[in-house]
Amino acid sequence: MRRLVSLLLAIWLGFGATPIEAAGTPKERPIALPSAAEGWTWDGQELHYDARSVFDYIDGAGELFLAYGFQRLSVRRFEQPNQPPLTLECYAMNSAAAAFGVFSFERQGESVGIGQGSEIGGGLLRFWKGRYLISIFADGEGPAADSA
């Protein structure tokens, strides 16, 4: 859990990060994703999807995101030797209400007090803050992946 909190703090504070937006609105600071956290290192590739290409990534669920004002998705994978990778998805919606709408559509886990709403369970952490919805999950099983 400590590793997960470190990764989340790095996301919001932008340590070693690359912005996913060229410029934020005057009222909002652009979000930045970390390049490393607690031994997990970004693999250097960042995938981007918009309203036209989102189905290439989330085939079958894109309609939900589009209905709630989806704008773009950035995806990064984090690796640690001898562990399955972690995937971080950052969904930019057109408003905080839209991010909450997608987040609240299918709640299943317990809250962990991150962002404006969060849930964790089954190897998945989801939370929303402002117009962003963040998902972090392990692409397999392993002791470090479980604790992350």
Side-chain angles (χ1 to χ4, degrees):
M1 184 59 124
R2 215 173 3 183
R3 290 180 182 162
L4 181 60
V5 171
S6 295
L7 180 58
L8 295 173
L9 286 173
I11 291 168
W12 293 117
L13 297 176
F15 295 134
T18 305
I20 63 167
E21 293 186 71
T25 62
K27 296 178 184 177
E28 182 179 275
R29 186 174 134 199
I31 192 169
L33 299 176
S35 59
E38 292 291 320
W40 294 89
T41 306
W42 173 39
D43 71 3
Q45 296 181 348
E46 185 168 293
L47 304 175
H48 298 275
Y49 301 91
D50 60 19
R52 282 189 239 152
S53 61
V54 69
F55 294 99
D56 295 339
Y57 185 73
I58 52 173
D59 188 24
E63 293 89 355
L64 171 68
F65 287 86
L66 292 174
Y68 277 98
F70 169 82
Q71 291 186 329
R72 76 185 152 281
L73 165 63
S74 294
V75 180
R76 285 189 178 184
R77 289 173 50 104
F78 292 83
E79 300 173 336
Q80 189 176 77
N82 303 314
Q83 294 299 321
L86 298 178
T87 299
L88 183 147
E89 302 169 337
C90 179
Y91 296 86
M93 307 299 287
N94 67 4
S95 68
F100 173 73
V102 174
F103 172 76
S104 65
F105 187 77
E106 191 176 315
R107 302 269 327 259
Q108 295 181 0
E110 63 184 72
S111 178
V112 289
I114 299 168
Q116 291 171 269
S118 61
E119 69 174 348
I120 192 167
L124 170 68
L125 167 70
R126 291 183 340 128
F127 66 95
W128 73 281
K129 184 171 182 177
R131 66 186 192 98
Y132 296 100
L133 174 67
I134 306 292
S135 251
I136 303 171
F137 58 91
D139 295 338
E141 297 180 16
D146 291 343
S147 68

